[in-house]
Amino acid sequence: MKKYCYGTCFLISIAINILFSIYLYLGGGDRWVAKNPDITYGSPLTWTEKAAEEAEAVAAISCSGHGIAFLDGLISDGQPVCECYDCYGGTDCSELSPGCAADADSGDPIFLEPFWMQNAAASAVVIPGWHRMSYRYADDTLMSTELETYIRKLHSIVGNAITEGRYMVFGVGSSQLLSAAVYALSSENSSSPSNVVASIPFYPMYKSQTVLFNSENFQFEGDTNSWQSNNQTNNTDVIEFVTSPNNPDGELKKSVLGGKTIYDHAYFWPHFTPIPGPSDHDLMIFTLSKLTGHAGTRFGWAIIKDKDVYEKFLNYIFTADLGISKDTQLRVLKLLKVAIEQDGKPLFQFAYNKMRDRWDRLTSVLSKSTRFSTQNRHHLHCNFFNKTRLPSPAYVWVKCEREEDDDCGAVLEAGNIISRSGRVFSAKDRYTRLSLIKSQDDFELLLKRLTELVSLEKNSIETM
Amino acid sequence: MKKYCYGTCFLISIAINILFSIYLYLGGGDRWVAKNPDITYGSPLTWTEKAAEEAEAVAAISCSGHGIAFLDGLISDGQPVCECYDCYGGTDCSELSPGCAADADSGDPIFLEPFWMQNAAASAVVIPGWHRMSYRYADDTLMSTELETYIRKLHSIVGNAITEGRYMVFGVGSSQLLSAAVYALSSENSSSPSNVVASIPFYPMYKSQTVLFNSENFQFEGDTNSWQSNNQTNNTDVIEFVTSPNNPDGELKKSVLGGKTIYDHAYFWPHFTPIPGPSDHDLMIFTLSKLTGHAGTRFGWAIIKDKDVYEKFLNYIFTADLGISKDTQLRVLKLLKVAIEQDGKPLFQFAYNKMRDRWDRLTSVLSKSTRFSTQNRHHLHCNFFNKTRLPSPAYVWVKCEREEDDDCGAVLEAGNIISRSGRVFSAKDRYTRLSLIKSQDDFELLLKRLTELVSLEKNSIETM
């Protein structure tokens, strides 16, 4: 019996060894396969293994949870260095710099970074060296049909925009689409330029782009309401920007003039606002940046009702830069496949929980203050989450209530908080914007500094 | 002895089994790792495996060498379909469509696709879901320092541009940089717009961009020489485009006016032209498209001497679209790492051999023709290959010699060849452009159709 087992078990064991060896041998045939592109690839991995190993090695570099090492980071000792979040330093980002200012200036949507780390396997993408070298896709367009399909699916799941029977155009972030939209809506043949307006407080890019391009076709005319009171006749050519939810104050806005309108829906997602129903406007612009958090990817899309406007958009994108990166489009496709998993619940629940938690904690701190107030938030029914809830905007629009605090950004800065002053949004400096969408470290530091500021305020009240 | 071997060998065999099993177990731990981003990743593969398998499965789809399946292709029966080159069809691209026209219109640089397939392992890149979500890199810029370093290395190896002490700006292809350059060189404060000129025949984008943007700062004034003869005084503000080698005719050109000049060096690489020495101009523009063949990636760079001009470039790119895709920059970095391997010899030798072979075969066909002539090509010393050689331009600039053939594009079209007519380049229609940089299938068909055309010509001469 024992002898029988020795023989049979040994043979089985050797057979398993051989099978494992074949497996490993095929997996290691990288170079051979690479020089023979016509062979049929099959599992196990061959030509992708090197790139996969590289990516895993870099992801394995420990940055203490206060930074990340990237594949294209600066190299030191043969591997990329940790890139630390604000206020952290040292080779492994473990050193907190004391007295460092809380930077709540930029709209960098790093609050979603942990979601993508948690979904590492589903969201990684391999780009082969020969991927989409052509200017065009098989259907002769500059846009991926598959990607367009997924964007339409996403809007249908979230219920935030009507896409049926509408055209779609991709751009380099929503930024490029903002200027494409102004171009597409402006009257080329008009002897006088179209007037571009937006309601204060507004995103500064509307103005800076129009001023930079300095086109004969359009000019920036500032605040919508001021423009309306100065131009009572309705025959003037005007293009109105409506940002909804608004940047900086999160308000769900509507067109004032009711004419040619560009709806900037960058923030119209369930993590920032209740979705009362699908937007159904002639021209709507969205961006990946505030949806999945991939600002660096520079990807946006416009949803367009009118065919002529659509064709002017296409012409703009074609002439400006022959379309947008195919590599980017492939990656966005991968990210959106994850975004629509389980009807979007994992992504939007994660994102909403983060934003709600930050607002709850911030509100709790500021409720003790009489010096600082924030925008009002009103309950609304959210069709996506199927409940009535408060908005949880990307930014806090802070007002300094004391009469002498007419530069609210400076007041915060004295408290070691960097914000974005009202004047940037063509508003008064009594207001300033705080970003709530940066990394968790950034948010914690902001909350700490705000708590300090408010407690100073209380102390001074108490000592009076 | 036999019994001894049974025992020891069996134990060794079992030990090897266990080691293999541990290896495979760790490699298969994908989901577990994906939910635990804080753990230390290590070889073997965990979260990258799914993406790697997907990429290999798609690359394994056979398209008969006449097409490719892409990761973001249309899906049929659960996997992406083959996308066939022109004139091929069927689910596996094996069916040649008889009588199909040879399309030599576009500048799609697919001739380099086989190089990247041969270098599959070195050129693949994995983009993790959390890669570079921020608008900015660690140094607060919109451009990857590592990538910039590799571009400078490449120019130093090739010897085609001076980059020491110069600034660099990335753009969405060279396309975006062309308009950024016009913006940066135009006089904002001038009461009259800057005049933009280019020598006929010229790349049509120079005109179409200037017309589209319709800026008050500049206007397109057409041919450089005509402009010069009509404006003898030197005090007029003018911006000259110099394309060298020229598109469409491959000529190494120099500035006519000697004032503010934009050197478009898209084709200034050893596969297209001998490199007589490094270009040393104030403003030079390059593109990945005609270097590695990745037109779809939309990546270009400008090399700039003057700091003010550099800062205007940066402002333009920032305002137009907050920089270019970080995903794209990562991929370009990977491609350039391959490009500079062995001092660039594998890439440029491959590319030059292709172009020289195509020119040799084309010249052999057209040498039998009196009806069609091409641009003259002159021997020059190439510093990169360290030999005297002919240029091998991306395009053939065909002239129809018969008096009645005043629409050369139409003559070729009657011979089932699609070309790009002279008028597109603001030249006469007696000229037309044939692209030599498309796929091998496209080139073979072009040669076949040209041979047919020329043989008809011979027959008609013989029968006279």
Side-chain angles (χ1 to χ4, degrees), chain B residues 312-363:
Chain B
K312 288 182 81 177
F313 256 87
L314 285 184
N315 181 44
Y316 184 94
I317 303 291
F318 177 82
T319 309
D321 43 42
L322 298 176
I324 73 153
S325 167
K326 308 291 177 288
D327 316 344
T328 297
Q329 294 190 50
L330 171 60
R331 188 185 188 211
V332 176
L333 175 64
K334 189 78 178 196
L335 296 171
L336 292 193
K337 281 180 179 173
V338 177
I340 68 158
E341 272 178 16
Q342 297 173 56
D343 283 346
K345 287 295 180 299
L347 171 64
F348 293 114
Q349 196 69 58
F350 178 99
Y352 172 51
N353 288 352
K354 275 265 182 200
M355 292 309 301
R356 187 184 51 191
D357 175 70
R358 291 185 180 186
W359 269 99
D360 286 350
R361 293 174 62 198
L362 179 113
T363 309

Side-chain angles (χ1 to χ4, degrees), chain B residues 33-239:
Chain B
V33 171
K35 300 288 175 198
N36 292 277
D38 291 331
I39 71 148
T40 300
Y41 301 111
S43 192
L45 299 179
T46 57
W47 56 272
T48 57
E49 198 166 32
K50 182 171 173 275
E53 280 171 0
E54 256 174 32
E56 298 221 2
V58 171
I61 296 169
S62 170
C63 304
S64 313
H66 302 299
I68 305 192
F70 291 106
L71 276 162
D72 53 3
L74 293 183
I75 304 292
S76 169
D77 289 338
Q79 66 176 22
V81 299
C82 280
E83 300 184 9
C84 308
Y85 297 136
D86 291 343
C87 300
Y88 286 87
T91 51
D92 65 350
C93 303
S94 62
E95 296 159 22
L96 177 60
S97 164
C100 179
D103 188 346
D105 180 2
S106 94
D108 244 356
I110 306 301
F111 78 113
L112 285 167
E113 204 175 62
F115 177 82
W116 296 104
M117 289 185 168
Q118 285 170 21
N119 289 273
S123 60
V125 64
V126 171
I127 307 191
W130 62 85
H131 179 73
R132 298 269 179 218
M133 294 175 68
S134 171
Y135 288 102
R136 294 178 179 273
Y137 290 90
D139 60 359
D140 215 32
T141 72
L142 302 172
M143 306 196 304
S144 158
T145 308
E146 272 295 286
L147 180 51
E148 187 175 333
T149 304
Y150 273 85
I151 292 173
R152 289 177 190 271
K153 270 186 200 168
L154 182 74
H155 282 300
S156 156
I157 286 169
V158 175
N160 65 341
I162 300 288
T163 65
E164 288 80 14
R166 310 294 169 95
Y167 301 99
M168 198 177 288
V169 178
F170 301 163
V172 182
S174 58
S175 317
Q176 186 184 33
L177 294 167
L178 300 175
S179 47
V182 171
Y183 163 78
L185 294 184
S186 66
S187 312
E188 279 169 284
N189 299 324
S190 167
S191 57
S192 63
S194 298
N195 300 288
V196 180
V197 297
S199 294
I200 290 175
F202 60 78
Y203 180 49
M205 191 72 109
Y206 306 142
K207 182 178 177 180
S208 58
Q209 284 190 339
T210 311
V211 169
L212 177 88
F213 291 122
N214 196 20
S215 171
E216 292 186 20
N217 302 357
F218 45 82
Q219 62 195 12
F220 195 74
E221 285 291 311
D223 183 51
T224 312
N225 288 304
S226 312
W227 190 88
Q228 191 181 30
S229 25
N230 296 334
N231 295 271
Q232 294 297 338
T233 54
N234 244 350
N235 58 358
T236 322
D237 186 17
V238 61
I239 299 167

Side-chain angles (χ1 to χ4, degrees), chain B residues 382-394:
Chain B
C382 176
N383 284 355
F384 179 76
F385 286 123
N386 197 23
K387 67 176 183 185
T388 297
R389 46 162 283 216
L390 282 173
S392 37

Side-chain angles (χ1 to χ4, degrees), chain A residues 13 17 34 46 48 54 56 83 108 118 125 127-129 132 134-135 214 217 290 294 325 328 331 334, chain B residues 13 17 34 46 48 54 56 83 108 118 125 127-129 132 134-135 214 216-217 290 294 325 328 331 334:
Chain A
S13 181
N17 280 176
T46 57
T48 57
E54 256 173 32
E56 299 221 2
E83 301 183 10
D108 245 355
Q118 285 170 21
V125 64
I127 306 191
R132 299 264 180 221
S134 171
Y135 287 101
N214 197 18
N217 302 357
K290 301 304 184 290
H294 293 84
S325 168
T328 297
R331 187 185 189 212
K334 189 78 178 196
Chain B
S13 179
N17 280 176
T46 57
T48 57
E54 256 174 32
E56 298 221 2
E83 300 184 9
D108 244 356
Q118 285 170 21
V125 64
I127 307 191
R132 298 269 179 218
S134 171
Y135 288 102
N214 196 20
E216 292 186 20
N217 302 357
K290 302 303 186 290
H294 294 84
S325 167
T328 297
R331 188 185 188 211
K334 189 78 178 196

Side-chain angles (χ1 to χ4, degrees), chain A residues 80-267:
Chain A
V81 298
C82 281
E83 301 183 10
C84 308
Y85 298 135
D86 289 345
C87 300
Y88 286 87
T91 52
D92 64 350
C93 302
S94 62
E95 296 160 22
L96 176 62
S97 165
C100 179
D103 187 346
D105 181 3
S106 93
D108 245 355
I110 306 302
F111 76 112
L112 285 168
E113 205 175 62
F115 177 81
W116 297 105
M117 289 184 168
Q118 285 170 21
N119 288 273
S123 60
V125 64
V126 171
I127 306 191
W130 62 86
H131 180 73
R132 299 264 180 221
M133 294 175 68
S134 171
Y135 287 101
R136 292 176 180 275
Y137 289 90
D139 60 359
D140 215 33
T141 71
L142 301 172
M143 306 196 303
S144 159
T145 308
E146 273 295 286
L147 179 51
E148 188 175 332
T149 304
Y150 272 84
I151 292 172
R152 288 177 191 272
K153 270 186 203 170
L154 182 73
H155 282 300
S156 155
I157 286 168
V158 175
N160 64 341
I162 300 287
T163 65
E164 290 79 14
R166 311 293 170 93
Y167 302 98
M168 199 178 286
V169 177
F170 300 162
V172 181
S174 57
S175 318
Q176 186 184 32
L177 294 167
L178 301 176
S179 47
V182 171
Y183 163 78
L185 294 184
S186 66
S187 313
E188 279 168 285
N189 299 325
S190 169
S191 57
S192 64
S194 298
N195 300 290
V196 180
V197 296
S199 295
I200 290 175
F202 60 79
Y203 181 48
M205 190 73 110
Y206 306 142
K207 182 177 178 181
S208 59
Q209 284 189 340
T210 311
V211 169
L212 176 88
F213 291 124
N214 197 18
S215 171
E216 292 187 19
N217 302 357
F218 46 82
Q219 64 195 11
F220 196 75
E221 285 291 311
D223 183 51
T224 312
N225 289 304
S226 313
W227 190 88
Q228 191 181 30
S229 27
N230 297 334
N231 294 270
Q232 294 298 338
T233 55
N234 243 348
N235 58 358
T236 321
D237 187 17
V238 61
I239 299 166
E240 182 185 357
F241 272 107
V242 176
T243 323
S244 183
N246 194 34
N247 174 4
D249 61 13
E251 197 183 317
L252 282 174
K253 301 187 87 167
K254 295 208 183 311
S255 166
V256 172
L257 305 173
K260 292 191 279 190
T261 310
I262 300 164
Y263 272 85
D264 181 345
H265 279 324
Y267 299 88

Side-chain angles (χ1 to χ4, degrees), chain A residues 329-346:
Chain A
Q329 294 190 49
L330 171 60
R331 187 185 189 212
V332 176
L333 175 64
K334 189 78 178 196
L335 296 170
L336 293 193
K337 281 180 179 172
V338 177
I340 68 159
E341 272 176 17
Q342 299 173 56
D343 283 345
K345 287 295 180 299

